[in-house]
Amino acid sequence: MCKSYRPRQAKASPLWQCLKSSLDDFFQVYPTQYQPTLGALRQELEDAFNRFLRCGDLNQGFLRVRCDHCDHVPSPKGDKTGLWSNTGSYLLPFTCKQRGICPTCHQRRTVDTAQTISSEICFSVPHRHWVFTIPRILRNVFRRNPKRLSVLCRIVADTLSECLATSAGIPEGKAGIILGIHTFGDYLAYHPHIHCLSTAGAFNQQGHFCLAGTFYLDFYQELFRHKVLQTLRQRNWISARQFNKLLHWKNSGFNIDAGETALAADDIKARERLAQYLLRAPLSLQKMSWNAQTKTVLYRSSRNWNTKRNFELFSGPNFIAALSEHIPPKSFQTIRYYGLYSNKSRGMRQKNLSLVDSFPMCTVHTEKTRSLKPKRQWRQRIIEVWGYDPLKCPCCSGPMRVVATVESLEKIKCILLPLGLWEPFEPKNARAPRAPPSTVRWMADTRDGQVIDLDYEQDP
């Protein structure tokens, strides 16, 4: 049975405290300290930070819910949250619904998408987890322009499709592939790499699944290496000198990890957990500690082979700068679908039901069925993620109902002012003017000091 819902205290989050205290300093020093490395400050970053500071804030709007069974009086005895209004109704604040920056809202999105992937998109066949990584010196190619990662995803999908089809003994076969773009490593370091959830084999033209045999990873690592370098050189994202240098490295830095074992065909929960890993947030609040006196962040993670310690100490602005690299641009998709899992393939199967007979392991929802299928509501998502029912009365454990949605500033002030909860929000703005985009042609890697040639004026 679900427990009664207790709204989280957003201002108690170490990330909220860090942003509230250090965001002004971050904006002020950005042009001189961070712009040479990260590029011009994106407007969407300012909006994302300001929206996060309003996440769970009653002053930005809320739902009024009431329990008709116990008919509470204002501020019932034993209530310590201060969220009971003067009309006896309970106040549920809105969230920012952002990805990347807000771990709470990101997790709700993760759970919802992972369930769809495991139950509706994936076929009932064995699946496998893959990881594709690139050398450290190439990270700066994608650092200032995250949209270039779309090109890397296409190369990964082509390489993985060829690997699965060849290993299954059907070179013309097709596989189902789902890619997750991760730009973060330990301690929020910029480390672009691709996680993959794919079928553990390929389908032939008749729709029969063939399990892949031995993977010759050394060969496909070299294939992946040559495809990436050739593409970067053709698009003038690296120089000819850098291309020749990376092509002749004995230890290339390119790597493909195929995991230990494949997931069973009927293990839906395992596929869901793996899909959640592909969708996970770059930041964990459990690893983060905020010191208000020194205005520093202590971030814990696994032991680093370079620093020989399992923590990193950031100043407030440095931590915000590290986090800002992993906030995706607006409308940028961090999950990509290829092969039989692509949007085109799934749409064709929905329109042409005769194709379903060719893939008996596929669960196809027609457009009519999809329109009648109810979506998971916000209440169900909260129950699935945290096990708390937001519409369960905290006093009598009876069901509560939504009375009204309060979004008007006048109504919000009228309800919160008598409770002493009215605090108008002042958005944090970048105080320094933005400089034009940099035209630097080269930059040094921050970890090993090696120089890489870049050309930022040419876009994909």
Side-chain angles (χ1 to χ4, degrees), residues 120-343:
E120 298 181 11
I121 296 180
C122 289
F123 295 165
S124 297
V125 298
H127 284 72
R128 184 175 286 274
H129 179 207
W130 301 76
V131 183
F132 286 72
T133 56
I134 60 176
R136 181 181 300 168
I137 196 172
L138 288 179
R139 296 175 187 176
N140 287 325
V141 174
F142 307 94
R143 194 168 197 168
R144 289 197 176 192
N145 193 345
K147 294 183 179 180
R148 292 181 175 181
L149 291 170
S150 300
V151 178
L152 182 62
C153 285
R154 171 52 64 183
I155 298 174
V156 169
D158 292 342
T159 304
L160 185 55
S161 297
E162 184 175 345
C163 176
L164 291 171
T166 305
S167 301
I170 42 176
E172 73 285 354
K174 293 184 179 181
I177 300 174
I178 303 174
L179 305 186
I181 301 176
H182 286 196
T183 59
F184 51 91
D186 289 335
Y187 313 110
L188 296 181
Y190 187 77
H191 174 34
H193 56 286
I194 308 297
H195 286 264
C196 312
L197 171 62
S198 73
T199 55
F203 290 85
N204 58 21
Q205 295 180 352
Q206 289 73 35
H208 299 292
F209 179 75
C210 300
L211 189 65
T214 304
F215 298 109
Y216 299 97
L217 293 183
D218 292 339
F219 170 78
Y220 288 103
Q221 280 181 184
E222 285 299 309
L223 178 63
F224 176 57
R225 172 190 184 183
H226 282 75
K227 284 187 175 182
V228 171
L229 294 180
Q230 289 285 354
T231 302
L232 297 185
R233 181 67 194 111
Q234 289 173 1
R235 295 174 179 263
N236 290 325
W237 292 351
I238 59 175
S239 66
R241 180 185 60 84
Q242 198 70 31
F243 170 78
N244 294 326
K245 179 180 178 181
L246 292 172
L247 199 59
H248 293 87
W249 271 6
K250 183 177 181 180
N251 298 320
S252 66
F254 291 88
N255 185 61
I256 300 177
D257 185 2
E260 296 180 357
T261 58
L263 305 179
D266 57 348
D267 198 345
I268 299 179
K269 290 298 182 181
R271 290 202 300 265
E272 184 176 345
R273 289 193 298 268
L274 183 53
Q276 289 184 9
Y277 186 81
L278 266 64
L279 291 155
R280 68 191 179 104
L283 173 71
S284 173
L285 294 180
Q286 294 161 347
K287 298 180 180 181
M288 178 183 177
S289 300
W290 167 252
N291 191 323
Q293 296 180 350
T294 60
K295 294 187 176 182
T296 55
V297 173
L298 183 67
Y299 198 80
R300 300 176 179 86
S301 188
S302 57
R303 182 180 176 86
N304 188 293
W305 66 272
N306 190 18
T307 61
K308 309 301 181 185
R309 61 174 183 264
N310 63 347
F311 68 90
E312 192 71 32
L313 191 64
F314 297 87
S315 66
N318 286 346
F319 187 83
I320 297 175
L323 178 61
S324 66
E325 290 192 274
H326 312 300
I327 300 176
K330 186 177 180 180
S331 72
F332 181 77
Q333 301 298 325
T334 57
I335 293 293
R336 310 294 177 94
Y337 304 91
Y338 296 92
L340 295 177
Y341 291 162
S342 66
N343 296 334

Side-chain angles (χ1 to χ4, degrees), residues 343-353 355:
N343 296 334
K344 180 179 179 180
S345 297
R346 287 186 281 132
M348 291 176 62
R349 288 195 294 271
Q350 290 175 9
K351 293 180 179 179
N352 189 1
L353 295 181
L355 294 177

